[in-house]
Amino acid sequence: MKRVLVTGASGFIGSHTIQSLLDRGFEVHATNSGGASETLSCLPPSTCHKADLLDPTQTTRIIETVRPTHLLHLAWIVRPGELISSTENLDWVVASIHLMREFHANGGQRFVGVGSCYEYDWEYGYCSEALTPTVPNTVYGASKNAFREIAEAYGREHGLDFGWARIFFLYGPNENQNRLVPSVVLSLLRGAEAKSSHGLQIRDYMHVQDAADGIVALLDSAETGAFNIASGAALRIRDIVQTIGQELQASELVRIGVLPARKNDTPLVVADTRKAEECLQFKPRYDLVSGIRHTIDWWRTQIAKDETRTGDLK
């Protein structure tokens, strides 16, 4: 039996991995720190466990209780506006090392961590696992990269299979409302203007379910090392915003260029996806239009649920 422990299972990416893992025959266990918003991971027949992974005692307890054969590690600081520079990133490096060591000490066989395109030197624009330097310029990127380097070395020396999924830019259900796609979708659904910067930045965006499926494909393989889990498509931010406007038939409410762009914003960040395609046979199933349509439908459903709950309280 393949028994997997998923950390961060209630988060934006993690909540989309559970069904994919179940479909591949995993017995799924998910960690949950106990917050009010963290209920999405408990899809039957998966099992949820309350644990604060920043507490080493709780980490040891959960590993000894579950004794997973596989570990999918997504938990990390995710608070909007704090992610990039927070010193809590350093705490997660320490916590992740402890998690990996306890997992291996209790018979764990395969550990897959989730990293970020922020590990790369964005001055190169095109991000290849084999060619682009990992020279991050943020605390977040440096912390992710530091853990990867330590985990890869540990795996080589101690016989632990280790894979690393580098995620780029995502959108889809369960995303924080302040992020690009949900902020535009929700504004237009409510009949308000959707404002953006000039939107000429080119990014590699992918639907979150595709990212989750790619991560699970890596976990359920024998491949080691880093893999870009991305679309490989170069999209202008303004084209994403305009596509949302078109799908909602509200293009007249889209305001491109009214918000200031970040100073020194990198013009191009796109992934080389050939390694994942060749080694994992992974390709996204959503293109931009189908992914945006799916996301809009999900947010419509959420708004309807919120309105029903509000009505019930009156």
Side-chain angles (χ1 to χ4, degrees), residues 251-267:
S251 295
E252 72 280 1
L253 292 175
V254 173
R255 300 288 183 264
I256 302 290
V258 301
L259 297 179
R262 295 180 188 172
K263 294 181 180 179
N264 302 318
D265 201 357
T266 304

Side-chain angles (χ1 to χ4, degrees), residues 45 47 73 84 125 155 194 266 312:
T47 303
H73 183 35
I84 296 301
T266 304
D312 290 341

Side-chain angles (χ1 to χ4, degrees), residues 158-175:
H158 297 278
L160 175 65
D161 280 353
F162 176 79
W164 189 249
R166 283 203 184 105
I167 304 304
F168 281 65
F169 301 91
L170 304 179
Y171 66 92
N174 202 31
E175 187 175 8

Side-chain angles (χ1 to χ4, degrees), residues 9-80:
S10 59
F12 178 39
I13 302 174
S15 61
H16 292 85
T17 65
I18 305 302
Q19 190 59 56
S20 184
L21 288 163
L22 292 170
D23 291 344
R24 286 176 176 262
F26 282 91
E27 176 187 321
V28 180
H29 294 258
T31 64
N32 186 315
S33 65
S37 64
E38 296 185 329
T39 58
L40 296 172
S41 61
C42 301
L43 294 174
S46 62
T47 303
C48 289
H49 303 267
K50 183 178 179 180
D52 179 0
L53 298 180
L54 293 177
D55 179 344
T57 302
Q58 294 188 44
T59 297
T60 299
R61 174 184 57 79
I62 196 69
I63 292 294
E64 291 178 346
T65 298
V66 176
R67 292 192 175 272
T69 59
H70 293 63
L71 201 150
L72 179 54
H73 183 35
L74 294 112
W76 206 271
I77 176 176
V78 294
R79 292 187 297 275

